């Protein structure tokens, strides 16, 4: 009985993720994720643990999974992986959005003085001429949500928050 109690505590402790994750998917998708979660949660305690992953891999015919590989998977949840955390992890993977700190680090490359701002015109030029080469329309679309001050500088910390958490104006 004690292990059941501990298991319930772990489940509650892992639900630090945004409840907004359920709005990222259609109801039918959520149902599919529930089924997948149920297949992986071998002991049916509501939390995916290392043993659950080992048994799932064994069922798929992969018997020699490295402990480090399993640990890496579990560490992505930053705590117990209950269904909400599982859904959040898939939401992050499927949305293609990098974690906020990764996006911030990328912006900091264009802010050598650490001001928290990048010049809009210079950033537009870079986006349109480097790497993936945005079109003018794509840049305009991106800048529509960007917090730009009267001097033409983008507050990239606020922009990173908007990218990773959504725009408050969109939701109201």
């Amino acid at each position: 009985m004690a292990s059941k109690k501990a298991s319930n505590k772990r489940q509650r402790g892992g639900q630090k993720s945004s409840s907004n994750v359920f709005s990222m998917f259609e109801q039918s998708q959520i149902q599919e994720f529930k089924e997948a979660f149920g297949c992986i949660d071998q002991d049916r305690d509501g939390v995916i643990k290392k043993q659950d992953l080992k048994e799932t891999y064994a069922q798929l015919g992969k018997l020699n999974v490295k402990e480090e590989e399993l640990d890496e998977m579990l560490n992505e949840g930053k705590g117990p992986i209950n269904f909400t955390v599982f859904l959040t992890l898939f939401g992050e993977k499927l949305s293609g959005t990098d974690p906020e700190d990764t996006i911030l680090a990328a912006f900091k490359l264009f802010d050598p003085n650490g001001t928290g701002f990048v010049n809009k015109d210079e950033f537009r030029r870079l986006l349109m001429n480097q790497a993936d080469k945005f079109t003018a329309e794509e840049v305009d679309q991106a800048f529509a949500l960007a917090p730009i001050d009267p001097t033409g500088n983008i507050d990239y910390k606020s922009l990173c928050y908007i990218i990773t958490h959504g725009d408050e104006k969109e939701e109201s």
Side-chain angles (χ1 to χ4, degrees):
M1 207 58 182
S3 66
K4 187 74 172 166
K5 251 186 188 172
S7 157
N8 288 340
K9 277 186 183 174
R10 281 195 305 262
Q11 280 180 296
R12 283 192 298 272
Q15 289 190 348
K16 292 178 184 165
S17 305
S18 166
S19 59
N20 200 21
V21 69
F22 290 95
S23 65
M24 294 172 61
F25 299 105
E26 300 290 324
Q27 193 59 44
S28 61
Q29 291 173 302
I30 293 172
Q31 189 56 44
E32 288 177 25
F33 282 122
K34 275 185 185 172
E35 290 172 23
F37 182 86
C39 290
I40 299 169
D41 181 20
Q42 298 283 315
D43 61 6
R44 306 281 186 253
D45 68 348
V47 179
I48 295 175
K49 294 177 294 307
K50 191 183 292 190
Q51 190 58 39
D52 294 320
L53 292 176
K54 283 181 182 179
E55 290 175 24
T56 301
Y57 271 113
Q59 288 178 351
L60 297 171
K62 188 171 182 184
L63 301 173
N64 54 352
V65 183
K66 294 180 181 160
E67 292 289 318
E68 302 83 48
E69 197 176 336
L70 297 172
D71 289 335
E72 275 181 41
M73 287 181 210
L74 292 170
N75 289 336
E76 282 192 48
K78 296 174 180 56
I81 300 179
N82 60 23
F83 181 67
T84 303
V85 173
F86 181 78
L87 198 58
T88 302
L89 290 171
F90 271 94
E92 290 169 358
K93 298 280 186 209
L94 294 174
S95 71
T97 302
D98 289 318
E100 192 169 354
D101 56 342
T102 303
I103 298 169
L104 275 173
F107 271 108
K108 285 178 183 176
L109 295 172
F110 304 104
D111 181 21
N113 299 326
T115 63
F117 294 89
V118 292
N119 179 273
K120 177 186 94 169
D121 295 329
E122 176 63 12
F123 199 60
R124 171 185 288 278
R125 188 186 66 71
L126 289 169
L127 289 173
M128 293 176 66
N129 295 302
Q130 303 290 320
D132 288 344
K133 295 185 182 168
F134 281 53
T135 65
E137 185 179 309
E138 289 170 327
V139 174
D140 290 340
Q141 215 174 8
F143 284 179
L145 289 176
I148 301 172
D149 71 14
T151 61
N153 291 313
I154 300 170
D155 175 354
Y156 66 80
K157 291 177 183 174
S158 296
L159 180 58
C160 288
Y161 184 86
I162 292 168
I163 290 168
T164 57
H165 297 92
D167 185 19
E168 292 172 11
K169 291 176 273 183
E170 281 182 350
E171 294 174 13
S172 41

